[in-house]
């Protein structure tokens, strides 16, 4: 009988340094090396550059790409190694950078690199590409690869199908342990590790699992059917990624097989994908709670990509601030008689506080999460300051204009003098503008400063930040209106 | 030569179902089974109970313990299997429950169970026990075990040393592949999986690593020295757990060896510990940002354990609210002339808004994280409602009393009529009390309701929640003072 009826290989990313590679680097050292790489790149010293890069792990190479300009990134990519290394780097870096690098390649070269990628990473990457380029590249793939990748792209990205690797090792239950070991020994694929060998029946349905250790510690004539653990735990291809992560974690799995409706095995989800999901979901929760958008790729997204979610998520706080101020305004007759001069100033306080704390929350959470995920560091201080200043200026301007208009509503002003009809709304608008600017910039810088001082960035972004912002807003407002 | 100079075994938790075990359960099904277990327990139907429990994975058994009362937990633990199963369950459940269960055992029985635990879990558990009990149990261990556990307890819990497993497989570099395989085949330990075999030199220093696959696919006479990958990536025992997690994730490791100052290998950190660290750190960040405390063991902690962090973390918001209100009060002459009757009511708005949104943030974040980690479900609605009502009543009462006193400061009241000297502060105190009660309860229930409606709980806990709370606070205040 043939040793295997159908064979998939399951080859997780290289997990060990190659002989001769150096020890891994911790973050500060990586940062130093990134500076060296940058210098060599600007001196066009490609020889020494290649020598340095050849010793580093693809995960470390990927790290360098984050802080460089697109032009430098392109040159760095060209010098970082052969197609296999390039593919490994693409699998490790942030998706938008990978898209940028591939889009800058000649399609024929690009396909050579992409052919070396894990198909799950490849599917994620292709989905982000420009439609034309995607079509062009897909056509250049071998037929079976094209089919596999297109199948993978059909799954919802947040399900088991979306995070699974469609290549895995599956052997028929009629194969013997000896045949399986022979197969492993003669396989030309350089698997780094194969932890589980899945067993399928003649209908290609998942029927059991064998560990590599079981395989080598039994008599070679034992069939996999005798050896295997039946009733293997699997997840359906449509299961939500969060639930997959929970199952992998609950049972302490290294990988879990993914099956379709008919129990045919279609892929595996490995523990490193699960770690990614857990981090993603935590980030998503933090950002949703603070209305900071969805993505952590802080330095990759363009201004408008970052602006939209932050702008729209201030709408609801704005609405409630407006409502609160209106409630007070409608009760205004109660608070004062005809001679109460400037009382309407006070009615604006809810909307002022709400707008400034909304933007503080956003930038604070962005920084805390960026720092926790190792994407934002003290070295980025100037860049963060510049970006948050631009963002807060824009948001402050828009919401300041709105507040200016809002404060013109007669119920707030009708008892004021004629000159105050413009002066008062102007002060309100200016307060919103400056307090949002302050809140956005301080919200971004404070966690970085805390981190630098070895304090906890997360506690900076909590009540300390909103407290500072609140007191600043009130002080500023009082200071401005004292000119009225 | 002897095949191994020093041998540790590295035995991660069982990763596969035993033959005959049933398929794993998704959350809803587990909940149904938990109900069945509860019923059988209350009917004293121990026979059927044991039969049901024997088929389940320790991780699933651990799940049942969460929602039961201490008395039921004790009985369930007695019936959940042999010492090995009990040890596995203890390794999976929340620490406070494990402490409770072990403290209720006879020390001699407890030692038998503890002897079956992974030493890293064991060290964590012992550290939480009552000093007397800990001493007593430590004395009952075998000498080498006692030494190993005490060594482990000496490491800071948040470093590589604190999360590592001190048992691992290490073979001398002079051993041959054949000897290593023989060793594996004859070892009485039932490892589920051994993914990496670490190689040590004659001074017991880490000198390389061999994968199981390399071992079985080479000539048996090859020595490990020839076979191994030198320059293996390792982490120092004192490295912060967050950095260890980042390295494991960056390189996609399943396990990373931990070494002391002299490069002697002392343990391994496995990927499941890393997942735990990532989830813990995300939770910590969310809670610090909202001042909700540190721990996610929502249903395990007593009222006072949960109360203290929530009480103290409202202090800073209180301070800033007080400051803002005082700033307005000092500018009071500006806002009105002598006849402006009730203006001081408006000066309290900052402190009112700050207190109610502080508590809303706390309970909202607790729920969002609890739901994300699968610890809080719709079935807990009543319990959550009860707990948050108690908590908010207490916090509302204390801060309401404070606000009552604060509003009595002459600068707020001196122009008011005599009767208002008490009536006004009373309204302020009542507003704080009711708005904090509302905010705390709604903050906890809204994410659960959102989850139930298949909406995102995190977006409920963000601006929707603070918006509702803010408008409620202003409405309530205006309603109350209209009686003045």
């Amino acid at each position: 009988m043939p040793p295997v009826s159908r064979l998939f290989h399951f080859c997780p990313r290289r997990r060990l340094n190659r002989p001769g590679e150096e020890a891994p680097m911790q973050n500060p050292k990586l940062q130093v090396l990134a500076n060296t790489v940058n210098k060599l790149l600007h001196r066009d010293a490609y020889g020494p550059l290649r020598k340095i890069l050849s010793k580093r792990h693809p995960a470390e190479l990927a790290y360098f790409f984050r802080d460089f300009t697109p032009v430098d990134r392109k040159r760095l990519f060209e010098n970082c190694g052969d197609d296999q290394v390039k593919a490994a780097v693409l699998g490790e870096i942030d998706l938008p950078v990978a898209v940028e690098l591939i889009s800058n390649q000649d399609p024929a070269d690009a396909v050579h690199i992409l052919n070396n990628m894990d198909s799950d990473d490849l599917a994620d990457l292709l989905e982000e590409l420009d439609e034309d380029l995607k079509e062009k590249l897909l056509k250049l793939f071998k037929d079976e690869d094209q089919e596999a990748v297109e199948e993978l792209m059909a799954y919802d990205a947040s399900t088991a199908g979306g995070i699974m690797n469609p290549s895995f090792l599956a052997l028929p239950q009629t194969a013997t342990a000896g045949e399986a070991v022979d197969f492993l020994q003669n396989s030309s694929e350089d698997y780094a590790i194969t932890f589980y060998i899945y067993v399928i029946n003649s209908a290609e349905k998942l029927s059991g699992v064998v560990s590599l250790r079981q395989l080598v510690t039994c008599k070679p004539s034992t069939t996999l059917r005798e050896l295997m653990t039946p009733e293997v735990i699997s997840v359906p291809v449509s299961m939500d990624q969060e639930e997959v992560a929970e199952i992998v974690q609950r049972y302490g799995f290294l990988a879990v097989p993914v099956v379709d409706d008919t129990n045919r095995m279609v892929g595996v989800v490995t523990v490193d994908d699960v770690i990614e999901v857990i981090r993603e979901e935590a980030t998503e929760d933090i950002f949703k709670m603070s209305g900071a958008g969805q993505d952590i790729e802080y330095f990759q997204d363009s201004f408008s990509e970052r602006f939209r979610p932050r702008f729209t998520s201030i709408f609801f706080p704005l609405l409630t601030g407006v409502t609160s101020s209106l409630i007070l305004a409608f009760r205004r007759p109660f608070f004062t008689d005809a001679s109460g001069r400037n009382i309407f100033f006070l009615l604006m306080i809810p909307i002022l506080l709400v707008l400034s704390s909304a933007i503080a929350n956003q930038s604070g959470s962005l920084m805390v999460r960026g720092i926790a995920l190792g994407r934002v560091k003290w070295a980025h201080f100037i860049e963060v300051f510049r970006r948050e200043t631009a963002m807060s200026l824009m948001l402050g301007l828009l919401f300041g204009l709105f507040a200016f208009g809002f404060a013109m509503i007669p119920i707030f002003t009708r008892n004021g003098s004629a000159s105050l009809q413009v002066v008062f709304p102007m002060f309100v608008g200016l307060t919103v503008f400056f307090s949002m600017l302050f809140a956005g910039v301080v919200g971004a810088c404070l966690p970085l400063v805390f981190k630098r001082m070895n304090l906890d960035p997360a506690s900076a972004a909590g009540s300390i930040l909103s407290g500072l912002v609140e007191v600043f807003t009130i002080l500023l407002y009082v200071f401005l209106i004292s000119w009225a």
Side-chain angles (χ1 to χ4, degrees), chain A:
Chain A
M1 62 133 252
V4 285
S5 72
R6 180 171 172 186
L7 185 79
F8 309 84
H9 60 274
F10 163 42
C11 169
R13 283 178 215 131
R14 205 168 352 147
R15 295 187 190 278
L16 294 174
N17 271 4
R18 289 167 295 190
E21 273 183 324
E22 281 171 26
M25 300 188 116
Q26 288 157 40
N27 272 333
K29 287 188 207 157
L30 265 180
Q31 193 56 49
V32 171
L33 195 69
N35 294 340
T36 310
V37 168
N38 201 3
K39 270 184 215 146
L40 292 175
L41 206 55
H42 285 164
R43 273 195 245 132
D44 295 331
Y46 293 124
L49 183 66
R50 270 190 223 115
K51 206 173 152 196
I52 284 185
L53 295 181
S54 69
K55 289 187 184 163
R56 311 273 20 129
H57 190 282
E60 290 168 340
L61 298 180
Y63 180 95
F64 300 150
F65 283 84
R66 274 196 200 139
D67 298 342
F68 286 9
T69 63
V71 177
D72 285 352
R73 279 204 280 258
K74 186 170 187 294
R75 292 198 296 151
L76 185 60
F77 191 62
E78 277 158 12
N79 287 287
C80 75
D82 58 15
D83 286 348
Q84 227 177 335
V85 174
K86 283 179 184 162
V89 168
L90 287 181
E92 302 276 353
I93 55 182
D94 297 335
L95 213 44
V97 180
V99 168
E100 171 199 303
L101 291 170
I102 278 299
S103 308
N104 284 334
Q105 299 284 317
D106 181 84
D109 293 343
V111 164
H112 284 130
I113 299 170
L114 297 179
N115 265 327
N116 285 293
M117 281 182 80
D118 286 345
S119 20
D120 54 342
D121 290 338
L122 180 56
D124 290 345
L125 176 54
L126 286 175
E127 240 164 301
E128 295 294 317
L129 290 180
D130 184 87
E131 274 305 314
D132 281 358
L133 184 58
K134 186 169 85 180
E135 290 300 311
K136 208 182 284 172
L137 290 175
L138 271 175
K139 267 188 213 131
L140 290 169
F141 281 119
K142 275 176 292 173
D143 284 349
E144 74 252 48
D145 288 346
Q146 188 181 338
E147 206 176 298
V149 170
E150 279 180 342
E151 218 169 273
L152 217 50
M153 283 163 61
Y155 298 116
D156 181 343
S158 67
T159 62
I163 57 171
M164 75 183 185
N165 191 321
S167 306
F168 50 88
L169 190 61
L171 298 173
Q173 50 188 18
T174 50
T176 66
E179 287 170 321
V181 170
D182 273 354
F183 169 76
L184 284 176
Q185 285 175 332
N186 298 319
S187 146
S188 63
E189 293 289 338
D190 182 27
Y191 316 105
I193 280 170
T194 311
F195 12 87
Y196 303 129
I197 292 149
Y198 297 103
V199 184
I200 51 180
N201 65 19
S202 53
E204 287 190 12
K205 311 220 159 157
L206 179 63
S207 58
V209 63
V210 172
S211 76
L212 188 51
R213 184 171 183 279
Q214 284 179 294
L215 216 53
V216 301
T217 58
C218 71
K219 263 186 284 177
S221 61
T222 322
T223 63
L224 298 188
R225 193 205 308 270
E226 297 167 78
L227 206 57
M228 72 188 186
T229 303
E231 303 266 13
V232 52
I233 293 182
S234 63
V235 298
V237 73
S238 60
M239 184 186 268
D240 186 81
Q241 62 174 0
E242 227 171 322
E243 211 171 336
V244 177
E246 215 203 300
I247 285 181
V248 169
Q249 203 209 359
R250 189 191 308 148
Y251 298 96
F253 290 141
L254 299 175
V256 66
V258 181
V259 294
D260 67 11
D261 301 342
T262 64
N263 202 32
R264 210 172 55 92
M265 188 167 168
V266 293
V268 277
V269 172
T270 51
V271 70
D272 52 331
D273 298 319
V274 163
I275 290 184
E276 209 40 65
V277 169
I278 290 173
R279 290 173 77 133
E280 248 177 44
E281 301 278 349
T283 303
E284 242 187 69
D285 278 358
I286 293 181
F287 286 3
K288 267 191 197 140
M289 285 164 70
S290 69
Q294 296 235 352
D295 248 340
I296 193 57
E297 281 150 15
Y298 187 72
F299 291 113
Q300 306 312 335
D301 293 343
S302 71
F303 185 81
S304 68
E305 279 171 312
R306 289 178 296 123
F307 180 75
R308 227 172 316 114
R310 295 185 62 169
F311 180 75
T312 51
S313 68
I314 298 186
F315 269 157
F316 194 78
L318 180 72
L319 187 71
T320 63
V322 162
T323 310
S324 301
S325 291
L326 283 175
I327 293 171
L328 291 174
F330 279 112
R331 296 290 302 165
R332 191 179 154 194
F334 170 78
F335 293 115
T336 184
D337 55 24
S339 58
R341 198 170 59 103
N342 295 332
I343 184 156
F344 47 86
F345 279 125
L346 292 178
L347 307 179
M348 284 292 150
I349 287 177
I351 195 173
L352 298 179
L353 293 183
V354 162
L355 285 174
S356 54
S357 53
I359 192 173
N361 259 340
Q362 290 181 344
S363 51
S365 310
L366 270 175
M367 281 308 118
V368 167
R369 202 62 193 145
I371 292 170
L373 299 181
R375 282 163 186 269
V376 179
K377 290 173 211 74
W378 179 251
H380 298 127
F381 189 86
I382 304 291
E383 176 65 9
V384 164
F385 184 80
R386 203 186 58 71
R387 289 176 151 245
E388 284 306 304
T389 306
M391 178 65 72
S392 313
L393 275 173
M394 194 58 161
L395 291 171
L397 193 68
L398 291 171
F399 288 101
L401 278 173
F402 172 85
F404 172 76
F406 178 64
M408 285 215 184
I409 297 177
I411 193 168
F412 295 114
T413 57
R414 69 176 161 217
N415 289 342
S417 69
S419 80
L420 270 173
Q421 294 272 2
V422 177
V423 174
F424 162 61
M426 214 181 67
F427 287 139
V428 171
L430 282 176
T431 306
V432 167
F433 175 73
F434 284 115
S435 67
M436 284 184 89
L437 180 59
F438 174 85
V441 174
V442 172
C445 297
L446 202 63
L448 269 176
V449 171
F450 264 56
K451 175 76 183 172
R452 177 71 172 180
M453 293 162 66
N454 276 323
L455 299 170
D456 189 324
S459 38
S463 55
I464 295 181
L465 177 61
S466 37
L468 280 177
V469 164
E470 182 178 58
V471 174
F472 176 86
T473 306
I474 298 285
L475 267 175
L476 177 70
Y477 190 49
V478 165
F479 172 76
L480 285 177
I481 58 181
S482 64
W483 290 349

